Structures are given as C-alpha cells and as structure tokens.
Amino acid sequence: MTAPTPHVLVINAGSSSLKYQLIDTATDESLASGLIERIGSPESVAHHTVDGTKHDKEVECLDHGQALQILSNAFQEHGPVVTAESLIAIGHRVVHGGATFATPVVIDDDVIAAITDLIPLAPLHNPGNLAGIEQARIAFPSVPQVAVFDTAFHATMSPAASTYAVPKAWREEHGVRKYGFHGTSHAFVSRRAAALTNLPVAEANVIVLHLGNGASACAVEGGTSIDTSMGLTPMDGLIMGTRPGDLDPSLPGHLSRVAGLSLEDYDKALAKESGLQGLTGSADFREVMTGYQAGEPEAQLAVEAVVHRIVRHVGALAAVLGRVDAIAFTAGIGENNAVLRELVMLRLGILGVVADEAANNSAEGEALISADSSHTQVWVIPTNEEGEIAQQSATLVAS
Ligand code: AMP
C-alpha cells in the first residue's frame, strides 16, 4: 500500500462565494487554488488556477452543493488529481467558534450542531461556512473534515482582556465578550515575525497588523494572543473596507431615537456602508489612496483616520505587551501599500520605530522595513491563512 499524499483541501465558504486551495502539507506548496463567485445566481463564475494558469468559466451555481460539484469538475478537467484517497483532510475556515472551540476539531454531527448554535454571533459568516462543510461531507464522505476557527487563536486572552463590563445576564446567558478574529493569520504571521527577528516564539512579543478588507491588530506574547482589536463580532477596532471599527456603544439607541433607524437598517449600514465605503464611497483602499494622493478631501480624511486608528491600537497593544520586539504588516493593504505603512511608522516614534524608506518602498514578500537604528523591528510578512489551516488540519488528523 502506498502512503497517502499529505494533501489538504482548504475550503473557505462564504454566503455567496467559495474559495479553495489544495496544499501539500509536506512542502507547504499550493498545488491549485480557485474561487466560485456569485453562488445562488444562474450566472456564477468559477476560477481555477494551476501551474500559474488561471481557467475561468461561466457556470450555473445555485447552491453550495453545486459549488462542490464545480470544484470537483475543475480538478478533473485541469488537475491536479483530487480523490478521497489523495486527501488526508479537508480543512474548513469557520469564522466564529465562540467559547466552545479553542482549537481545531474534526467535524462530526455534534460539531455541526455547535457551529449552528453560534450563528447568532456570526450571522453573516457561519451559515456559509456550514453550507460548505455540509456539502464537502457529502462530496467526500470518507475524508476527515476539520474546522479551523478564526476565533481560536484568541482563546488565550485573559478574562481581563476579553470581558465587557456589561450586565451579568448578557455575559452569562448570551456569551457577550470579546472573541477576536483573523486568528489563523495572526498565528502564522507572528510565528514568522519571531523567526525573522531571530527570537524563539516563546520569547517574542509581536504586534500583527492584519490590514485587508477586514482589519485587526493583535498583541502576541510568546506565541499566544493576549489582546486584539476585534470583539464579539468582526466589527470592532480598526477602520475597514465597509465596517467602522470602534464606535460609541450608545449609537444604536441614539439613531433609533433621532432617525427612527431599525436594528436591521443599523446592522446593514455597519456591515456594508461604513468604513472606507462610508467615508469615501469606495471600499477599495487602492482607490482611496489614489484620491489621497490627488488631494481629495474625503480620501485624505479617510486615510488620516485609518492611520490614526491603527496608531491608537498599536499604542494600546504595546502598553498591554510591555515590550514590543516586532511589528508586522500583513494582508492586502499591509502587504501592498507602502504609503500607508510609512504614515503609520512615522507616528510610532514612541516605540522607537525608525522607517527605512527605501526598504519600505521596494518591499516584496517578507521584508524588513525599519532602519538598523530602529528600536522595534518592523516587517512586511505576507499572510498564509490557507497554509495555516492546512497545517493545523494535518497536525490534528495525524494526532
Ligand atoms: P484582503 O482582504 O487582504 O484581500 O485585502 C483587500 C484590500 O487590500 C482592498 O482594500 C484592496 O484595495 C487592498 N489592496 C490590494 N492590493 C493593493 C495594493 N497593491 N495597494 C493598495 N491596496 C491594495
């Protein structure tokens, strides 16, 4: 009998899209990746990339079951071969694990029921994640399915960090507390930051700035999360593409009284119409930065507010950590936008940060962007959430 290939299929299923990646966990190599967009519409689009070639196809994809079929067909048509025998696991990204899941778990009916119970904490995310899981179990019934939670990395936060000072009944009956998100990214990037600064993970204090369409900052002490900017839901903290981050908690009551806003209107406005979208009319940071550089007042205010918010959170997390060895920029904006990184670094003199302008402007892949004289090292570190999910899934099924 030949040993199974250590391949993990990583699935990140949203309500209307499904991203996937096939990873060889022995080498960390990504063998193929894909995206099925507009699930639920007769005019969906499927993209499958293998060996550097992207294959695009218009398909009908009315539900997640069809999405799994399209995924299987893409592997059959363009490779590589994916069968129940070639996979050691399917790793699913699940956004909210609440207080129930502090580690990845092999999925069974009880796990599905528990993730279903957590839907009220992540109504925009957990239902899509669950649909992906259920259909992958049907498509690959003999392959172990693993759930890796965005919240799990933050389970190490102390009660002092995770407690909201609200009535006891809210906390005890409804799980109201800070959970934090982007855990697989913060785990991966903070480990790389420790390695790059030549410190054992157990001794490195790192602040990770995950700046993408969603954005969060995390204080990582000795490999564990001790505080983070997101809270009960992925809404709190930094200014994001369409979400506002920090707000005064009295806002829903105020808007209900003065503008008659319903809770549904309020939730929708915060999820889809706030952040960069609310400030400039565009949720895409590239467009906002173009406006900033052209001197457009709205874009200038937006970038200044984004920078101010990041600096304020870095300051708070630095105080919580007590000592900062490295700061790491990651995700779409953090990895690609040198101007934003420079604006942030210029404001971090309190941590002894000295930017290396040339290194920052030419950064590609993993790059040190602070000067030799900088008291705190600053790095760009591309995140690898799929790779982290694959590794965590492989480790779990091997144990
Ligand atoms: P993510 O959610 O990590 O995919 O990041 C999405 C965000 O990254 C969007 O706001 C993009 O505009 C932004 N982004 C991607 N590439 C670049 C780039 N080259 N320069 C600036 N922002 C970028």
Side-chain angles (χ1 to χ4, degrees):
M1 211 176 105
T2 50
T5 51
H7 293 178
V8 174
L9 177 64
V10 175
I11 293 183
N12 181 354
S15 56
S16 64
S17 72
L18 187 146
K19 277 193 245 173
Y20 58 89
Q21 205 168 126
L22 181 68
I23 291 173
D24 182 338
T25 55
T27 59
D28 269 338
E29 192 188 351
S30 169
L31 303 173
S33 62
L35 166 67
I36 299 156
E37 292 179 282
R38 282 188 255 142
I39 297 176
S41 123
E43 289 167 359
S44 313
V45 188
H47 313 274
H48 184 81
T49 302
V50 59
D51 292 333
T53 306
K54 192 168 170 213
H55 306 274
D56 301 323
K57 194 172 188 177
E58 286 181 14
V59 287
E60 182 183 87
C61 183
L62 296 178
D63 55 31
H64 287 75
Q66 280 187 334
L68 260 291
Q69 193 55 53
I70 292 163
L71 174 157
S72 297
N73 293 347
F75 278 106
Q76 265 168 26
E77 201 174 324
H78 306 293
V81 172
V82 170
T83 61
E85 290 69 40
S86 72
L87 295 174
I88 53 168
I90 297 180
H92 294 269
R93 176 187 184 211
V94 180
V95 167
H96 217 309
T100 317
F101 298 107
T103 56
V105 284
V106 175
I107 296 168
D108 58 17
D109 291 344
D110 290 344
V111 169
I112 294 210
I115 297 172
T116 306
D117 286 346
L118 291 165
I119 287 176
L121 286 174
L124 299 179
H125 295 98
N126 276 24
N129 303 157
L130 272 170
I133 290 171
E134 278 165 359
Q135 295 306 323
R137 284 178 101 199
I138 294 169
F140 296 93
S142 61
V143 180
Q145 314 267 337
V146 176
V148 179
F149 300 91
D150 269 26
T151 44
F153 182 60
H154 305 291
T156 46
M157 283 189 296
S158 67
S162 66
T163 298
Y164 290 143
V166 294
K168 195 171 180 172
W170 298 8
R171 290 181 276 122
E172 294 190 348
E173 289 164 31
H174 304 295
V176 171
R177 48 160 284 191
K178 179 190 278 206
Y179 291 100
F181 297 86
H182 294 136
T184 49
S185 180
H186 290 305
F188 175 83
V189 172
S190 60
R191 245 189 2 258
R192 288 300 307 146
L196 291 164
T197 47
N198 287 321
L199 285 169
V201 169
E203 287 170 26
N205 282 4
V206 180
I207 295 176
V208 180
L209 295 170
H210 178 112
L211 309 176
N213 195 32
S216 70
C218 182
V220 184
E221 180 182 70
T224 62
S225 167
I226 63 165
D227 204 352
T228 187
S229 58
M230 279 179 168
L232 176 80
T233 71
M235 191 71 88
D236 206 3
L238 305 180
I239 295 175
M240 307 179 223
T242 59
R243 290 168 266 170
D246 300 346
L247 283 178
D248 184 324
S250 68
L251 193 56
H254 175 73
L255 286 172
S256 149
R257 282 186 296 273
V258 301
L261 220 68
S262 70
L263 276 181
E264 289 70 29
D265 293 338
Y266 181 76
D267 279 352
K268 182 164 161 272
L270 290 196
K272 308 255 183 231
E273 296 155 14
S274 299
L276 297 175
Q277 179 70 40
L279 293 175
T280 68
S282 169
D284 188 325
F285 197 76
R286 276 166 293 206
E287 283 180 27
V288 177
M289 193 42 91
T290 304
Y292 173 83
Q293 286 169 319
E296 289 169 17
E298 284 190 343
Q300 292 215 316
L301 170 62
V303 172
E304 284 163 14
V306 164
V307 170
H308 184 96
R309 189 74 59 83
I310 293 170
V311 169
R312 193 152 71 83
H313 276 268
V314 170
L317 295 177
V320 168
L321 278 168
R323 184 197 82 239
V324 184
D325 299 307
I327 296 169
F329 284 92
T330 195
I333 300 167
E335 291 168 30
N336 293 301
N337 199 281
V339 178
L340 188 271
R341 291 194 303 254
E342 182 169 350
L343 290 170
V344 171
M345 284 192 286
L346 287 173
R347 299 271 299 276
L348 293 180
I350 194 166
L351 293 175
V353 168
V354 182
D356 178 333
E357 204 178 322
N360 182 42
N361 287 333
S362 61
E364 252 184 65
E366 290 181 343
L368 180 65
I369 57 171
S370 54
D372 289 346
S373 58
S374 189
H375 181 72
T376 306
Q377 290 195 1
V378 185
W379 288 84
V380 177
I381 302 179
T383 194
N384 185 359
E385 291 171 285
E386 288 80 10
E388 182 70 19
I389 291 171
Q391 287 298 344
Q392 291 193 15
S393 302
T395 304
L396 182 66
V397 296
S399 64

